[in-house]
Amino acid sequence: MTKWVYGFGGGSADGDASMKNLLGGKGANLAEMSSLGLPVPPGFTITTEACVHYYAHGQSYPADLAEQVKAGLAKVEAGVGKTFGDPANPLLVSVRSGARASMPGMMDTVLNLGLNDATVEGLAALSGDRRFAFDSYRRFITMYSNVVLGLGHDHFEEVLDDHKDRLGVSVDTELTAGDWERVVGDYKTVVQDRLGHAFPQDVQDQLWGAISAVFASWMNDRARFYRRMHDIPESWGTAVNVQSMVFGNMGATSATGVAFTRNPSTGEAQLYGEFLINAQGEDVVAGIRTPQSLTKAGREEMGETAPSMEEAMPHVFGQFVETVGKLERHYRDMQDIEFTVEQGRLWMLQTRNGKRTAKAALKIAVEMAADGVISREEAVGRVDPSALDQLLHPTLDPEAPREVVAQGLPASPGAATGKIVFDADEAERLSQLGDAVILVRDETSPEDIHGMHAARGIVTARGGMTSHAAVVARGMGRPCVSGAGEIRIDEKAGTFTVRGRTFKAGEVITIDGSRGEVMDGAVRMIEPELTGDFQTLMGWADGLRRLKVRANAETPLDARTARGFGAEGIGLCRTEHMFFDEERIQAVREMILADNESGRRAALARIAPFQKADFVELFTIMAALPVTVRLLDPPLHEFIPHGDAEIDALAAASGLDAAKLKRRARELHETNPMLGHRGCRLGVAYPEIYEMQVRAILEAALEVKRVSGEAPTPEIMHPLVAKGQEMKFLRELTDRTAEAVFAEAGDRVDYLVGTMIELPRAALRADDLAEYAAFFSFGTNDLTQTTFGISRDDSGRFLQAYMDKGIFEHDPFVRLDQEGVGDLIRIAAERGRRVRADVKLGICGEHGGDPASIAFCEGAGLDYVSCSPFRVPIARLAAAQAALAAKRSHTSC
């Protein structure tokens, strides 16, 4: 019989931390904490396998799940001495999700489950606190109605606001027991009126409704969006954790909070977090009330007046510090912890490896390695390569003038400038149009996840340092200012007002998430300095990786940026980008208009000095590092306008013949230009174009050798080759031109001739190509589109539908298709090396900067990856992690 339910609590557990795939992260860690003897409320976990079964069988449960849940509940009842549904001595439970990868706020939770009109009276009698009992009941009705019954929070918030207005109070804690009884009555009326049936009173119905809702939330829009963003497979499913309730809302000796064992923004080794007295967990993360600091030092740093937990509950705080220290030492990583204090007794509700910024991740990894807690290899493996992107972009210039219009909490570091938007959908829409936006909300919720991802930064009027906005923004690497309470937002009017000024949607603001400041207009930025922990960790990574990392660069700025980020050469210099320069585009167009070879050569002679100068600068910047130059690739029609009006304007400005331009545009028109007269087909049809480029490359190399004394080794790459005969023709053209250049100069340099593999036929017949090509560079952008038969320029119209329906797990233009396209790369590598053992292999498509694709390249035995300059550090770290993974795999075999 399959075991679907695993118990925990009371100092023992059926599972442990190693069972994360089966029990989810939350369930596995609850089991581990229980086994460590920490105070964990008893409960049980329904496995991720039950969720997978649920979706594989038309959203129905395994036949024996109900019996196992019943047995698990009975064990909890025995452990706490209470009975689920007993009017006199009721057990209340929480029902929470728990995927194997942390997805904070993306799935559903129900607290206080088991309350009804009878058990609320039992809870009041047992606790001696009628106010607490009905406060818990109203919370349960709100949460269950929203999560399970699909009734929005706003219906209940409206009722509560009316009661507060009637009573003349502003915060929930001012309501009495009688007030809450009346609120509960009105809440039940809302359910009856809105849904046409009474609020469920049967506790078993409540339990299974909540379990179903948690499973269903695995497939809600925000969870699916989050999974796509963080590469979490849909097939994993979520676990469900049913746990006996402990209450932080039982008066002044009770509290709830969230803590990190280190600062998740900076990585400093100091306890960091917030708590609320007389509250439940959602009050802290949802920003409903302003939370208080855990430590006295934190309170003083934030300028708060409300006492910290250290001051308000010193005895419990001491226990808490000891417990969280034990957890960090046990897990050997920064922990994100949820806890409750019930009438002076500490309970641990969750621990997990905490979300952190890239800066914090680097500091924590380097410090733990320096302290001997983890090895250098573990430190390299701890940092998400993609997160490094947070460190590679400009920050606010401290000397730049800034007009601060609002102050909040420094919830997530970094800076951003953008247009104000108040709605997540609008943020996503404008971002897709290319606008930089700042999402401004009273508070964010999990439903805003897509807008938060689209925004450059986030501002909230409410919420603390551990609010939803703060935690999610840090995980995404978005700067965030939370709890800017002086901001008053009017979503209907599309404005926010602060300090006597009104800002409208669309106006530009700048935020500094490191200082908690909101500023008017755009503020000047400065380039980042990558030193300290970054340099230390990257040095360790470079010592571990096998793959070389080059950059895609054709401008001096890109080349210098790439070198600064540690690139070991240029893997793709796109020469056509050089042709579009204003000084040379006229000559390019004259070449296109030429009626014969002599006319084309005359125009090319005017372009040649520019090309040579370009290469001299690139070779000089890259010193003796390899530079792969791709000869002209795009179809010629891209260099001339298409519409009559644009052609007439060009002719008037340049002196070119308008009629001739129009005729040539018609002649160059192709139905499918990406599969047309482009790439090496230009070199075959017009060899003089490639001859000019080869000459410019080698003359530049000779000049750099003469000036610097060190000769570069250019790698001359012919694009879109499909046949061995093409490669033979192009190799002979290149060698013939090279010998002519060397004879004229009386000197020579080494060079390589190779090809860009972008076509399935080229991959399958790589042995033919290797007879004449010394290197292969896989152009995975084109190889993906020719393999799938999908245009990368037009696929955005339908790829999302494919991912939503599970046909594609990832966009194949972002994450390399390791099956089809990957097979072609493996075949090309094997067949190419069969003919030429030392053929150099690399990739230069956008996949060259994607960590998962880099792991594939390591496994396929490629020699290097090439990516955009700003992704070079990401690729360096990912290559090190791929090498470590390969080493572990080899060792385990």
Side-chain angles (χ1 to χ4, degrees), residues 32 81 95 98 107 130 150 176 198 214 249 283 346 407 423 440 476 492 689 721 770 827 876:
E32 188 79 3
V95 181
M107 290 179 290
R130 192 169 186 82
T176 66
V214 170
N249 59 327
D283 297 345
L346 175 67
Q407 183 72 48
D423 175 78
V440 180
M476 288 182 177
K492 288 184 179 178
I689 297 176
V721 172
I827 289 168
R876 289 165 62 195

Side-chain angles (χ1 to χ4, degrees), residues 142-163:
T142 303
M143 189 174 280
Y144 191 91
S145 296
N146 178 247
V147 170
V148 182
L149 305 180
L151 195 54
H153 284 289
D154 53 312
H155 299 297
F156 302 101
E157 289 168 2
E158 190 176 322
V159 170
L160 183 54
D161 287 342
D162 288 345
H163 277 277

Side-chain angles (χ1 to χ4, degrees), residues 374-636:
I374 59 176
S375 67
R376 289 185 176 185
E377 289 188 354
E378 286 178 295
V380 167
R382 285 274 176 94
V383 180
D384 176 6
S386 298
L388 294 181
D389 192 52
Q390 300 171 28
L391 305 175
L392 307 180
H393 296 282
T395 55
L396 292 184
D397 184 347
E399 304 299 321
R402 58 176 75 187
E403 183 183 355
V404 178
V405 297
Q407 183 72 48
L409 301 173
S412 182
T417 296
K419 296 178 179 178
I420 298 166
V421 294
F422 297 100
D423 175 78
D425 292 339
E426 181 69 358
E428 185 175 53
R429 186 186 72 82
L430 290 176
S431 175
Q432 289 172 348
L433 294 175
D435 288 344
V437 300
I438 305 292
L439 180 62
V440 180
R441 303 280 283 159
D442 275 321
E443 61 200 13
T444 62
S445 72
E447 282 74 19
D448 294 322
I449 184 73
H450 58 296
M452 298 173 74
H453 181 64
R456 299 287 178 87
I458 299 146
V459 178
T460 66
R462 298 201 294 265
M465 300 290 282
T466 56
S467 65
H468 175 269
V471 172
V472 173
R474 283 194 293 268
M476 288 182 177
R478 300 290 187 275
C480 176
V481 176
S482 68
E486 57 188 326
I487 290 177
R488 295 290 178 266
I489 298 172
D490 185 339
E491 283 194 45
K492 288 184 179 178
T495 63
F496 75 76
T497 304
V498 62
R499 301 184 186 180
R501 295 183 58 184
T502 298
F503 291 82
K504 299 177 181 177
E507 292 186 30
V508 173
I509 58 173
T510 297
I511 67 170
D512 185 342
S514 303
R515 297 172 61 169
E517 293 177 344
V518 180
M519 290 151 276
D520 184 21
V523 178
R524 189 171 65 246
M525 305 274 186
I526 57 173
E527 293 302 313
E529 291 185 18
L530 302 175
T531 55
D533 296 327
F534 177 87
Q535 293 285 36
T536 299
L537 191 92
M538 294 307 293
W540 296 346
D542 289 340
L544 294 168
R545 65 184 167 88
R546 182 193 64 82
L547 280 168
K548 298 291 186 182
V549 177
R550 303 190 194 180
N552 300 339
E554 47 275 336
T555 68
L557 175 60
D558 282 349
R560 290 191 187 95
T561 301
R563 287 288 286 127
F565 286 149
E568 298 162 299
I570 291 176
L572 176 62
C573 170
R574 306 172 181 91
T575 55
E576 64 271 10
H577 287 195
M578 301 167 171
F579 280 32
F580 283 102
D581 185 271
E582 194 173 334
E583 290 185 273
R584 55 194 86 170
I585 188 68
Q586 174 98 345
V588 174
R589 286 165 175 161
E590 289 178 6
M591 177 203 59
I592 294 170
L593 291 176
D595 294 320
N596 51 46
E597 181 181 333
S598 61
R600 286 192 295 275
R601 288 190 180 276
L604 288 165
R606 292 176 53 202
I607 302 169
F610 292 113
Q611 283 267 277
K612 178 183 173 182
D614 291 332
F615 297 131
V616 166
E617 192 161 15
L618 287 180
F619 292 152
T620 301
I621 292 168
M622 301 310 290
L625 294 172
V627 176
T628 304
V629 182
R630 183 179 72 185
L631 302 187
L632 189 65
D633 181 48
L636 296 179

Side-chain angles (χ1 to χ4, degrees), residues 680-681 684 718-731 754-773 776:
C680 69
R681 297 158 194 173
V684 172
H718 295 276
L720 213 71
V721 172
K723 290 174 63 68
Q725 292 94 324
E726 278 177 311
M727 194 67 237
K728 180 175 185 291
F729 175 87
L730 296 163
R731 175 64 187 259
T755 184
M756 197 171 191
I757 293 189
E758 306 159 85
L759 301 172
R761 191 185 195 283
L764 294 171
R765 301 298 301 177
D767 44 348
D768 295 343
L769 304 183
E771 289 188 40
Y772 308 100
F776 296 159

Side-chain angles (χ1 to χ4, degrees), residues 633-685:
D633 181 48
L636 296 179
H637 75 84
E638 288 193 9
F639 296 96
I640 58 176
H642 302 142
D644 286 352
E646 291 90 344
I647 290 176
D648 288 338
L650 171 63
S654 64
L656 296 171
D657 185 300
K660 198 171 186 180
L661 270 171
K662 291 174 184 176
R663 174 178 57 78
R664 191 68 175 126
R666 287 192 296 272
E667 290 171 353
L668 291 174
H669 171 75
E670 294 179 283
T671 302
N672 195 343
M674 287 301 98
L675 296 179
H677 196 181
R678 56 166 287 216
C680 69
R681 297 158 194 173
L682 293 171
V684 172

Side-chain angles (χ1 to χ4, degrees), residues 64-87:
D64 47 352
L65 178 62
E67 266 317 300
Q68 293 189 33
V69 167
K70 183 178 178 182
L73 196 57
K75 191 173 180 181
V76 175
E77 291 172 332
V80 300
K82 298 178 181 179
T83 303
F84 191 54
D86 184 347

